[in-house]
Amino acid sequence: MTVKQISIFIENRKNALSELTNVLAEHNINLHTISIADTSDFGIARIIVENTEQVTAALERSHYIVKVTEVLALEIPDETGSLNRILKILADNGRNVEYMYGFTGRKTDSAYMIIRATDVPETERVLTKAGIHLASQEELLA
């Protein structure tokens, strides 16, 4: 089960991030997750929102370059060693994590990790076989 993530390419300059969030606010878009990565010239904001298609269209109308990517949202116990156990399962099965970011869930004993890996369907199979709960888009945003 995958989740749709929007990657937004932004210039690495003063006010660029606030300009992006202004567009989101003007369109009444609630961010459920955000991750920012940067280089010297540009950054990539990765977000998960409701209504991915509508948000993508709004961003494109505001002249942003965007890409929708399928990622995995893993619900894991919010305790020491949880992430390590999952990364070991992936490593033992030859899966490569390209990037990831996490946040605590609305449940007090849970955390979520967003993972982009090579061969998402195979990574999904490995995690499901190992009994790792993959959250749906609806569940993640609930």
Side-chain angles (χ1 to χ4, degrees), residues 17-29 55 58-59 62 64:
L17 188 56
S18 66
E19 290 169 3
L20 170 64
T21 57
N22 187 57
V23 170
L24 297 174
E26 285 177 349
H27 288 88
N28 201 29
I29 297 165
V55 174
L59 290 167
S62 295
Y64 284 96

Side-chain angles (χ1 to χ4, degrees), residues 97-111:
V97 174
E98 295 176 7
Y99 61 82
M100 67 181 208
Y101 52 99
F103 60 98
T104 56
R106 294 190 174 150
K107 300 176 185 176
T108 58
D109 59 346
S110 295

Side-chain angles (χ1 to χ4, degrees), residues 77-116:
D78 188 9
E79 61 188 31
T80 304
S82 294
L83 179 59
N84 182 58
R85 284 189 294 276
I86 290 169
L87 292 176
K88 183 165 179 15
I89 291 167
L90 293 174
D92 290 348
N93 286 275
R95 303 290 88 216
N96 179 46
V97 174
E98 295 176 7
Y99 61 82
M100 67 181 208
Y101 52 99
F103 60 98
T104 56
R106 294 190 174 150
K107 300 176 185 176
T108 58
D109 59 346
S110 295
Y112 291 93
M113 293 304 300
I114 305 299
I115 293 181
R116 173 66 180 172

Side-chain angles (χ1 to χ4, degrees), residues 15-61:
N15 297 327
L17 188 56
S18 66
E19 290 169 3
L20 170 64
T21 57
N22 187 57
V23 170
L24 297 174
E26 285 177 349
H27 288 88
N28 201 29
I29 297 165
N30 184 29
L31 292 174
H32 291 279
T33 66
I34 185 168
S35 170
I36 307 291
D38 73 327
T39 66
S40 59
D41 296 327
F42 69 93
I44 301 174
R46 293 182 172 105
I47 63 173
I48 296 176
V49 295
E50 294 178 33
N51 303 316
T52 303
E53 294 78 17
Q54 292 174 347
V55 174
T56 300
L59 290 167
E60 287 174 340
R61 282 192 305 274

